[in-house]
Structures are given as structure tokens and as C-alpha cells.
């Protein structure tokens, strides 16, 4: 399939990219390829109850500079301010488009403005958020290929640092697909199930961030040699226990409070200890998210848990009760099911809060992902190389969870970043109108590699004497628990309270190397398992990047997300820097190095 612009992943960023590519590239062929179906794919699949990134500039509510200051403080000093500013100055127009397309945004009857959940968030009736956004992308795209999982990006035959397209397979009929394109935008989401989840048994698929976010964005980019940043910046979220229900509407709109088991407010209790370890970031307003986690974890370590969120104190009107229930029904239905099944009436009983397993993402409260060029008008020389949101590989762009260094984009910011990347990709295609070439030899090798798990199954199954265990292979679900256990125990999952040290990390790396060797022996009995196998490959490469970055950063920058017990302090003198990496697929070697973190907004 040949196209001008290929968009990998039709989630929020992918849909934004398709919309904007059509606007600037009227006559270009714009193709989306999506492993699920774009109508209900990605992290917004279930719907959302709030848009978390909206400035409200037409009402003078916030400025892009305010947003940069907020994200800088929340990320303990480390954000790409050019990228944050660029999102902030454009995001309102995205939200206005959503409303025009039919997304019901809730208004405040008194002010006549959008009803705020918090300073940056607005409330929506968002069950159908994704289908509404996907409809606009469907109208804009030349063609959408649903149910195709992209396994590899492919480089130009004559220039290894120029992307030429991608390959993958149809998860329903097994056809092998080759996509050639002049520019590629990767928008394939974040990564879950890298660390052992809290959920167990038949509930083990349940995570807060979407379980179908499988690290493709990072692994596809690493595989072609793109530079990554902040892969050590894991996200741990505090959520309603067992259902992973988000807390935003409860804390911000309904003003619920959290206490320890004995009814005590604990959040500011550790401020002196926190200041001694993490410096003046503790005085930031609002209090950084990771430090709130840190206070909660200190309470748990002291044995004063469970931590409660007091829903019963705030549901005193019908309107508030509806808001509380709809918050979950629009976004995380499982939380209301947990309430029902555990006899919790939120009007009468508080709910328990718990910290999640770590996730990797570039769009939420952390900023792992690709190192990308910023916009020409504001990015300093260190952050600009020709095209906005282009990675260090020519013609390869990213958006949403894919792009590192710029947290707090959320759904609206991810769509906006897709738009920014697409506008630049159109310019790239106009400047480079030739279709890159892919060698037949490399395609033949890739085809063989993609279907290797099926071949492994065909030959290995004959050695099964009883049950499903073959001495020649492992299944993806067996590998994933091995990966999760390794990451949890050695790289700071919830088991050891997010704590690790160099000795643990180095042992983790040895085990990871063995795991990667064993991946050659993964088996798939059918296409469903083949998809699971490739999701696992992507998770493993992402996990290795996380591990190596965690070894490299010798400080505790984001307590509450990860603690380096051997370097318990935040060290601005030596580590007010981005940690970047590159992987060479042909040699298996990694390079880790630093890049400056520049302050652009006073
Ligand atoms: C429970 C939950 C609550 C949230 N709450 C809010 C909120 O209240 N407000 C808010 O604004 N944001 C919220 N977010 C965040 C928001 O959903 C994300 O920031 C946003 O969806 C990220 O956009 P993206 O395009 O990068 O990724 P996604 O939207 O996840 O899109 C990635 C797409 O890539 C596809 N894909 C992945 N791998 C491949 C592959 N190999 N080949 C082909 N396709 C692939 C996926 O199927 C998916 O469609 C929430 C997210 C979750 C999970």
C-alpha cells in the first residue's frame, strides 16, 4: 500500500493527525492503520468524563505560559518547554472542534463557560467521545486499515536514517501488509503490563491505563534507531482500589478528601522530610502528583492504611451524586461494578485508594517517549531540526503517548499534537516528494520474522505429550508474567514499593537479556496469539529501555513513581537533564546519554 502519509494508530493523536493532514494536504493520500477499529480504539475507547487539557484562553482563564509552569513543577523540573507551550497555544481550538462535531461539553449555568473540574480540566458527557472523534478522522483519511497490527517500521534501502514505511499483519485473516510512505506518524499509545499489575487471576487483564496499550510506539521507534527520552519517568497513579477508578472528578470537582485509616489528613504531614530530599519542588502549587503519591506511600509503610477517599462526605445533592456515578459510567464502568459487588454505597461508605503498577506514557502525568524536534518559532537550536514533532529519523513523526518530554497533554493535547505533527509531515512530503525504496530482501526477512511464532508452534506442538506444555516454546501469556515479575521485583514495581537500586537493576538486566534470547521461542497457535506475541515483543523492548534508563539516572527525581534507594535524593546539580537513549537493532547495543533541559518560560 503506497501513501504520502501513513499514520500508525487511530487513537486520539492518530485521529488528530488524519484531520490536519487532510486540511493542509488536500491532494495527498493519508492512510491510517489501526490494530483494533478506530471507532472504539485506544485509551479513550470506554469514553472519558473530562477533557484534562483546556486553557480557556477566550475567557482569559489560563495562558500557555501558565501551563508550562504547571507542567514543569509537576514533573519536578524536567519538561521540554517548547513542546508544552506548543500544545497549550493550540489545544483550545481542538476542544472547540470536538464540540462542533457533537461532543456534549458541560456548561456552568452561572458563568456561561465550560464547567471546570479543575484549573485545566473541563467536564464532558464523554461516553461517545471516541466515536465522535473517529468520525472526523474517517472523513479526512483516504483509507483506514482496521485490524492490522504494525510490527516493524522499515528504513529506506539507501538511507538507514530515513523511514520508508511499515509492515504488519491482519489480525483477522493473517495477510502480511507492506505500507510504503513518504512520511510516517507513529501514534500507537502508551505501555501497560510491563510491570506486574495489582489485579490477579481472571481479573489480571485489568489495569488503569488501557491493557491494549502495548508499547508499540516505543518499540517501533527503538527498532528503527530513533532517539528516546525520559523512559525512566514511569507513571504510578492513585486510584480507587480494585476497579482503578480515576480520582480527578472526586478530588477536584466534588472536593472529596483522602485520609488515612484513622481519619487523619496526611498529605502535608511529611513536608519537612520531603523538602530535605526533594528540595523546593515541595512548595510548588499545586503540590506535584508524585509527591502526593509519596505521602500516601509513607502512610502505608507506617501501617496507617487503608487510605480512604471520603465519597460519603460529598454526595449531599442529587446533582453531585449523578456527577460521581456518571464519572465512572462514562469512563471506568468497572469501578461501579466493584462498588455493587463489594456492598459499597458511595453515599454511605468511603472507598479505599491504592497506587497502581507503573505505566509508560508520554501524554498523561509523565513524559516518556521519542525525542522530537519542536516548532521553529520557539524551539532553541538544541530542540529543533527542521520539522515539528519529527523524531531523529528523517520522515518519522510522532504524537500523543509517542512523544517524550511533554506531559499533561491528555486526550485533547494528544489530538492537538497529532495535528501539529501532521502539518509538519505535509510540509516534509512536499519537500521530499520521492517515495523511499524498501529492498525485497528485507521484506522477505521481515515476513519470516513476523510469522515465526506460528512456525514455532507448528514444529514444537508435536512434542506435547499432555496438556499444552512443549519443551520447545513458550506462549505470550507465559512470557508476559515473566516480564511483569522481573520488572516488578528488580525495576521498582508495587511489590517492593517502587524501590530499586543498582544491584537489583543490574540483575534485572541479566534476566532481561535471557528473556530477550528466549523470545525467539515464542509460539502462537492462531492469529490472536500472534498478535499477543507481537504485543509482547513491543513490551519487552520498551521494558528494556525503562530498565536501562532507570540504571542511568543516579538520583530519585520522581518519588512516588520510583525510588533509587542508593540515590535517595533529587540532585538538580547533576541531573537537571534529560536522559536519552538509542538502540541499534543490528548489534543489540544501547547508547545512553544526556541532553540539556532548558528553561524558556520565566
Ligand atoms: C482510564 C483512563 C482515563 C483517562 N482519563 C482522561 C481524562 O479524564 N481526560 C483526558 O483528557 N484524558 C484522559 N486519559 C488519557 C487519554 O486517553 C490519553 O492521553 C490519549 O488517549 C493518548 O492518545 P494517543 O493517541 O497517544 O493514544 P491512544 O488514544 O491510546 O491511541 C493509540 C492507538 O494506537 C493503536 N495501536 C497500538 N499499537 C498498534 C500497532 N502496533 N499497530 C496498529 N495500531 C496500534 C491502538 O489500538 C490505539 O487506537 C485517560 C486514559 C485512560 C486509560
Amino acid at each position: 500500500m503506497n501513501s504520502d502519509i501513513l499514520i500508525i494508530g487511530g487513537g486520539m493523536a492518530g485521529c488528530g493527525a488524519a484531520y490536519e493532514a487532510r486540511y493542509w494536504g488536500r491532494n495527498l493520500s493519508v492512510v491510517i492503520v489501526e490494530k483494533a477499529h478506530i471507532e472504539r480504539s485506544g485509551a479513550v475507547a470506554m469514553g472519558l468524563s473530562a477533557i484534562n487539557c483546556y486553557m480557556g484562553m477566550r475567557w482569559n482563564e489560563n495562558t500557555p505560559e501558565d501551563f508550562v509552569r504547571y507542567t514543569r513543577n509537576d514533573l519536578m523540573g524536567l519538561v521540554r518547554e517548547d513542546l508544552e507551550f506548543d500544545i497549550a497555544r493550540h489545544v483550545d481550538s481542538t476542544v472547540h472542534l470536538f464540540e462542533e462535531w457533537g461532543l456534549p461539553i458541560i456548561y456552568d449555568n452561572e458563568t456561561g463557560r465550560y464547567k471546570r473540574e479543575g484549573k485545566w480540566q473541563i467536564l464532558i458527557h464523554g461516553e461517545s467521545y471516541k466515536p465522535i472523534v473517529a468520525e472526523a478522522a474517517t472523513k479526512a483519511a483516504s483509507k483506514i486499515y482496521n485490524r492490522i497490527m504494525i510490527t516493524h517500521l522499515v528504513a529506506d534501502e539507501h538511507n538507514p536514517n530515513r523511514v520508508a514505511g511499515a509492515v504488519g499483519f491482519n489480525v483477522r485473516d493473517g495477510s502480511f501488509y507492506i505500507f510504503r510512505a513518504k512520511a510516517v506518524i507513529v501514534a500507537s499509545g502508551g505501555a501497560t503490563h510491563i510491570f506486574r499489575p495489582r489485579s490477579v487471576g481472571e481479573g489480571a487483564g485489568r489495569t488503569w491505563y488501557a491493557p491494549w496499550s502495548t508499547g508499540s510506539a516505543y518499540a517501533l521507534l527503538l527498532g528503527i534507531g530513533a532517539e528516546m527520552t525520559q523512559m525512566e519517568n514511569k507513571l504510578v497513579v492513585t486510584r480507587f482500589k480494585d476497579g482503578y477508578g480515576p480520582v480527578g472528578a472526586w478530588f477536584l470537582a466534588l472536593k472529596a478528601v483522602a485520609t488515612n485509616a484513622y481519619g487523619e489528613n496526611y498529605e502535608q504531614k511529611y513536608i519537612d522530610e520531603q523538602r530535605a530530599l526533594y528540595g523546593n519542588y515541595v512548595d510548588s502549587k499545586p503540590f506535584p502528583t508524585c509527591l502526593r503519591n509519596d505521602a500516601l506511600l509513607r502512610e502505608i509503610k507506617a501501617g496507617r492504611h487503608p487510605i480512604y477517599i471520603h465519597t460519603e462526605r460529598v454526595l449531599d445533592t442529587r446533582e453531585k451524586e449523578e456527577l460521581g456515578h456518571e464519572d465512572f459510567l462514562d469512563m471506568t464502568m468497572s469501578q461501579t461494578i466493584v462498588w455493587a459487588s463489594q456492598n459499597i454505597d458511595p453515599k454511605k461508605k468511603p472507598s479505599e485508594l491504592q497506587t497502581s503498577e507503573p505505566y509508560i506514557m508520554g501524554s498523561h502525568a509523565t513524559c516518556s517517549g521519542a525525542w522530537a524536534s519542536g516548532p521553529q518559532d520557539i524551539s532553541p537550536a538544541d530542540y529543533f531540526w527542521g520539522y515539528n514533532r519529527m523524531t531523529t529519523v528523517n520522515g518519522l513523526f510522532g504524537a500523543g503517548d509517542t512523544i517524550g518530554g511533554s506531559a499533561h497533554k491528555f486526550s485533547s493535547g494528544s489530538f492537538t499534537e497529532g495535528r501539529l505533527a501532521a502539518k509538519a509531515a505535509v510540509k516534509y512530503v512536499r519537500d521530499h516528494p520521492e517515495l523511499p525504496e524498501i529492498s525485497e530482501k528485507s521484506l522477505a526477512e521481515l515476513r519470516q520474522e513476523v510469522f515465526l511464532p506460528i512456525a514455532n508452534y507448528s514444529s514444537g506442538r508435536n512434542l506435547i505429550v499432555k496438556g499444552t506444555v512443549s519443551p520447545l516454546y513458550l506462549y505470550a501469556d507465559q512470557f508476559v508474567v515473566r516480564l511483569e515479575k522481573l520488572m516488578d521485583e528488580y525495576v521498582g514495581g508495587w511489590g517492593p514499593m517502587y524501590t530499586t537500586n543498582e544491584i537489583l537493576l543490574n540483575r534485572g538486566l541479566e534476566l532481561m537479556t535471557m528473556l530477550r534470547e528466549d523470545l525467539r521461542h515464542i509460539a502462537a497457535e492462531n492469529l490472536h496469539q500472534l498478535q499477543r506475541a507481537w504485543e509482547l515483543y513491543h513490551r519487552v523492548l520498551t521494558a528494556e529501555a525503562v530498565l536501562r534508563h532507570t540504571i542511568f539516572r543516579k538520583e530519585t527525581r520522581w518519588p512516588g513513581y520510583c525510588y533509587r534507594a542508593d540515590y535517595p535524593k533529587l540532585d538538580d546539580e547533576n541531573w537537571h537533564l534529560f536522559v536519552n537513549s538509542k538502540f541499534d537493532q543490528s548489534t543489540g547495543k544501547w547508547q545512553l546519554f544526556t541532553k540539556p533541559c532548558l528553561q524558556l518560560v520565566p
Side-chain angles (χ1 to χ4, degrees):
M1 307 297 161
N2 294 347
S3 61
D4 291 307
I5 298 181
L6 175 69
I7 299 165
I8 301 175
M12 289 308 284
C15 287
Y19 173 80
E20 196 75 11
R22 174 58 65 230
Y23 183 87
W24 297 101
R26 290 264 152 219
N27 55 349
L28 298 187
S29 69
V30 177
V31 165
I32 301 180
V33 53
E34 163 59 52
K35 73 174 175 178
H37 191 296
I38 75 158
E39 190 176 355
R40 281 274 173 197
S41 69
V44 180
M46 275 196 285
L48 297 179
S49 57
I51 285 177
N52 281 354
C53 184
Y54 179 72
M55 303 296 115
M57 282 186 277
R58 61 179 164 169
W59 297 311
N60 294 324
E61 290 177 332
N62 294 295
T63 65
E65 287 83 356
D66 295 335
F67 185 70
V68 171
R69 285 182 209 107
Y70 160 60
T71 55
R72 179 169 68 211
N73 285 337
D74 201 56
L75 271 291
M76 309 295 272
L78 295 189
V79 288
R80 276 278 301 273
E81 299 193 8
D82 57 334
L83 303 183
E84 298 284 9
F85 186 89
D86 201 25
I87 296 286
R89 65 177 166 175
H90 293 295
V91 72
D92 285 9
S93 74
T94 286
V95 175
H96 303 157
L97 283 175
F98 292 161
E99 189 172 30
E100 193 183 313
W101 297 336
L103 179 71
I105 299 183
I106 302 179
Y107 275 79
D108 185 319
N109 290 339
E110 278 170 28
T111 61
R113 302 176 188 171
Y114 293 159
K115 194 172 170 73
R116 283 275 177 198
E117 181 185 84
K119 190 170 167 56
W120 308 103
Q121 302 84 351
I122 55 169
L123 289 161
I124 58 173
H125 291 295
E127 188 279 336
S128 296
Y129 189 6
K130 185 64 208 299
I132 289 167
V133 168
E135 192 184 333
T138 307
K139 287 177 181 157
S142 312
K143 187 147 176 65
I144 296 172
Y145 292 89
N146 286 307
R147 311 283 176 208
I148 293 175
M149 163 134 198
I150 294 298
T151 55
H152 301 78
L153 293 174
V154 191
D156 181 0
E157 196 183 335
H158 309 292
N159 178 359
N161 199 41
R162 159 85 158 101
V163 72
V167 299
F169 64 98
N170 185 307
V171 303
R172 292 283 162 86
D173 68 16
S175 315
F176 182 65
Y177 275 76
I178 303 159
F179 295 93
R180 286 188 185 82
K182 296 172 190 167
V184 175
I185 302 172
V186 174
S188 43
T192 59
H193 284 287
I194 284 191
F195 286 83
R196 184 155 60 106
R198 292 274 188 180
S199 50
V200 294
E202 58 185 37
R206 182 82 194 115
T207 50
W208 162 73
Y209 211 59
W212 45 87
S213 300
T214 54
S216 291
Y218 315 117
L220 291 172
L221 264 54
L222 282 162
I224 199 170
E227 191 173 321
M228 308 301 286
T229 191
Q230 301 290 82
M231 295 300 285
E232 73 281 19
N233 186 201
K234 316 161 191 87
L235 178 64
V236 172
V237 290
T238 297
R239 291 291 178 262
F240 280 68
K241 187 169 174 294
D242 298 337
Y244 290 92
V247 293
W250 293 91
F251 280 139
L252 298 171
L254 293 164
K255 311 278 180 239
V257 292
T259 66
N260 65 18
Y262 304 101
E264 196 187 350
N265 288 335
Y266 59 86
E267 199 166 284
Q268 295 293 312
K269 192 166 150 186
Y270 299 100
I271 210 85
D272 293 337
E273 287 105 306
Q274 288 177 323
R275 186 174 288 105
L277 288 168
Y278 316 126
N280 294 339
Y281 293 104
V282 302
D283 300 315
S284 304
K285 299 269 179 302
F287 197 46
T289 317
C290 63
L291 291 179
R292 272 187 272 143
N293 275 6
D294 177 63
L296 185 150
L297 292 170
R298 284 167 188 264
E299 281 298 286
I300 294 178
K301 280 185 206 156
R304 284 188 285 272
H305 54 309
I307 303 298
Y308 289 119
I309 178 162
H310 288 280
T311 57
E312 81 288 4
R313 294 187 195 164
V314 293
L315 298 185
D316 51 0
T317 64
R318 187 177 166 82
E319 196 198 358
K320 289 186 192 165
E321 206 184 328
E322 274 176 13
L323 196 144
H325 278 276
E326 279 178 22
D327 177 46
F328 289 147
L329 291 170
D330 277 350
M331 176 164 60
T332 311
M333 288 78 89
S334 46
Q335 190 59 53
T336 51
I337 297 168
V338 170
W339 274 342
S341 62
Q342 295 186 355
N343 276 358
I344 297 170
D345 177 350
K347 248 187 349 179
K348 297 190 180 138
K349 263 193 200 174
S351 290
E352 287 177 46
L353 291 180
Q354 193 176 47
T355 48
S356 71
E357 57 282 358
Y359 307 113
I360 307 304
M361 66 189 72
S363 75
H364 210 273
T366 49
C367 41
S368 309
W371 184 246
S373 173
Q376 188 166 12
D377 60 336
I378 48 174
S379 299
D382 280 332
Y383 297 167
F384 178 71
W385 49 94
Y387 298 89
N388 199 1
R389 265 56 174 198
M390 190 168 84
T391 67
T392 53
V393 174
N394 292 325
L396 179 60
F397 295 77
D401 277 326
T402 309
I403 294 294
S406 51
H408 291 281
K409 295 179 269 205
F410 297 100
S411 61
S412 47
S414 297
F415 188 97
T416 305
E417 196 166 47
R419 295 177 64 191
L420 295 167
K423 184 177 175 185
V426 169
K427 183 166 189 309
Y428 184 89
V429 168
R430 298 228 190 277
D431 295 348
H432 303 84
E434 71 292 353
L435 193 65
E437 286 175 44
I438 309 178
S439 81
E440 288 304 320
K441 183 170 165 283
S442 65
L443 287 175
E445 283 166 7
L446 283 171
R447 180 195 289 259
Q448 208 173 11
E449 194 175 329
V450 167
F451 295 107
L452 180 68
I454 301 262
N456 284 346
Y457 177 79
S458 307
S459 53
R461 70 179 167 179
N462 297 325
L463 273 82
I464 300 172
V465 286
K466 195 166 183 229
T468 54
V469 177
S470 163
L472 290 189
Y473 59 66
L474 284 166
Y475 292 110
D477 57 350
Q478 295 168 318
F479 264 114
V480 87
V481 286
R482 180 169 158 190
L483 173 70
E484 288 171 350
K485 185 170 155 62
L486 186 170
M487 292 297 283
D488 182 70
E489 292 172 355
Y490 294 93
V491 194
W494 63 267
M497 297 287 265
Y498 313 102
T499 306
T500 185
N501 61 42
E502 193 140 343
I503 295 166
L504 279 165
L505 287 163
N506 284 334
R507 177 62 183 150
L509 191 54
E510 284 171 6
L511 294 172
M512 181 68 82
T513 309
M514 287 185 245
L515 190 154
R516 270 228 277 139
E517 284 166 8
D518 289 349
L519 274 181
R520 297 296 300 167
H521 305 293
I522 193 168
E525 193 178 340
N526 51 39
L527 291 172
H528 178 73
Q529 286 189 1
L530 186 63
Q531 178 176 357
R532 289 287 173 270
W534 277 102
E535 290 178 342
L536 182 87
Y537 279 120
H538 290 173
R539 284 187 159 114
V540 169
L541 199 50
T542 304
E544 186 168 344
V546 172
L547 203 170
R548 288 180 183 273
H549 274 241
T550 309
I551 296 177
F552 195 82
R553 184 177 283 285
K554 296 192 176 9
E555 63 160 352
T556 295
R557 171 66 51 170
W558 304 280
Y561 297 162
C562 183
Y563 299 89
R564 278 288 307 250
D566 42 356
Y567 299 98
K569 285 187 155 185
L570 184 149
D571 177 2
D572 257 343
E573 208 173 306
N574 297 303
W575 288 99
H576 189 262
L577 295 161
F578 295 112
V579 171
N580 284 15
S581 65
K582 272 181 90 161
F583 174 60
D584 183 339
Q585 184 87 58
S586 57
T587 60
K589 295 236 161 24
W590 292 78
Q591 274 176 279
L592 279 108
F593 46 96
T594 59
K595 284 279 165 81
C597 178
L598 306 175
Q599 181 169 339
L600 307 179
V601 171

